[in-house]
Amino acid sequence: DTVLTQSPALAVSLGQRVTISCRASKSVSTYMHWYQQKSGQQPKLLIYSASNLESGVPSRFSGSGSGTDFTLTIDPVEADDIANYYCQQSNELPLTFGSGTKLEIK
Amino acid sequence: EVQILETGGGLVKPGGSLRLSCATSGFNFNDYFMNWVRQAPGKGLEWVAQIRNKNYNYATYYAESLEGRVTISRDDSKSSVYLQVSSLRAEDTAIYYCTTTRVYYYYDGTYYYYVMDAWGQGASVTVSS
């Protein structure tokens, strides 16, 4: 199985730039996707195939990477961005998720 | 607008079974794969099962941790997908999300990747005596 590793939490000031990383245990090409999950809500797709912005998602969100190293960037961070962020690979089954990064405001 | 509604959750005794339903609308269901993903209380996301579309003979795939206890199925005429889970254990307690899965194809019709693009609100399943 492809294991995805994320930092557990990040603290950032409003208006600043934050980068959330995800490392895969083996190459997933660009088949990495990012989800935002706010408290009590279902996950929401932000970025698909590493760098494509899902329709309706603010352009403050962007993604990059290929192979094993991926990043989700939020610039600038707004209060509404407080959430857990998960990376997920669809290069192979089983589909796997990172453990999530909790974004906190300083 | 895509609509997803999961039903069938509830309190189940250990060893019991349940069937979750997911009714959808607002997109071409026949073109999509469908997945179920679950989230235990306070935990992360765990993929449970996938069913592909008619082009892929409705092939099904399961997480190893649930294989043998879970069955995914779909009814294209109703734009619905189902998840049957048996021999339930306390560790199956979770919110079960139904996700639509958008598929990208090569020119020859084979897919090259897919993404879970929309998620329902989830069905809460509690396994307890």
Side-chain angles (χ1 to χ4, degrees), chain B residues 30-93:
Chain B
N30 294 1
D31 287 344
Y32 278 58
F33 296 176
M34 296 295 292
N35 282 278
W36 286 93
V37 174
R38 69 181 182 180
Q39 186 170 36
K43 302 296 185 183
L45 301 167
E46 178 188 20
W47 172 73
V48 171
Q50 180 182 102
I51 186 165
R52 296 188 175 178
N53 58 22
K54 185 177 181 180
N55 290 348
Y56 285 86
N57 297 315
Y58 303 114
T60 58
Y61 303 90
Y62 301 102
E64 192 173 329
S65 60
L66 289 122
E67 191 125 32
R69 298 193 297 121
V70 64
T71 302
I72 188 172
S73 59
R74 63 190 285 165
D75 184 337
D76 289 356
S77 69
K78 296 181 179 179
S79 298
S80 294
V81 64
Y82 309 95
L83 186 73
Q84 179 82 31
V85 188
S86 60
S87 302
L88 281 158
R89 310 162 181 167
E91 54 264 37
D92 294 319
T93 293

Side-chain angles (χ1 to χ4, degrees), chain A residues 2-73:
Chain A
T2 304
V3 176
L4 304 180
T5 302
Q6 296 182 244
S7 298
L10 278 175
V12 62
S13 300
L14 294 177
Q16 298 301 302
R17 177 177 183 265
V18 67
T19 299
I20 298 171
S21 64
C22 176
R23 174 163 287 178
S25 60
K26 54 182 151 178
S27 176
V28 299
S29 183
T30 58
Y31 305 138
M32 184 68 79
H33 320 295
W34 290 93
Y35 299 87
Q36 177 193 64
Q37 187 179 32
K38 296 180 180 179
S39 180
Q41 297 185 16
Q42 70 270 48
K44 173 187 174 183
L45 177 65
L46 300 175
I47 300 289
Y48 65 95
S49 191
S51 60
N52 296 282
L53 189 68
E54 178 69 353
S55 176
V57 174
S59 58
R60 303 183 289 104
F61 294 90
S62 63
S64 65
S66 66
T68 61
D69 291 294
F70 298 85
T71 58
L72 171 71
T73 300

Side-chain angles (χ1 to χ4, degrees), chain A residues 50-105:
Chain A
S51 60
N52 296 282
L53 189 68
E54 178 69 353
S55 176
V57 174
S59 58
R60 303 183 289 104
F61 294 90
S62 63
S64 65
S66 66
T68 61
D69 291 294
F70 298 85
T71 58
L72 171 71
T73 300
I74 311 172
D75 186 15
V77 170
E78 297 185 358
D80 188 51
D81 300 334
I82 300 306
N84 285 304
Y85 292 86
Y86 294 92
C87 55
Q88 179 256 320
Q89 64 81 24
S90 63
N91 182 62
E92 65 171 18
L93 290 168
L95 303 181
T96 51
F97 291 86
S99 55
T101 297
K102 184 175 183 178
L103 187 64
E104 300 169 329
I105 301 298

Side-chain angles (χ1 to χ4, degrees), chain B residues 90-104:
Chain B
E91 54 264 37
D92 294 319
T93 293
I95 296 176
Y96 286 72
Y97 293 106
C98 171
T99 79
T100 66
T101 303
R102 191 166 73 217
V103 186
Y104 292 83

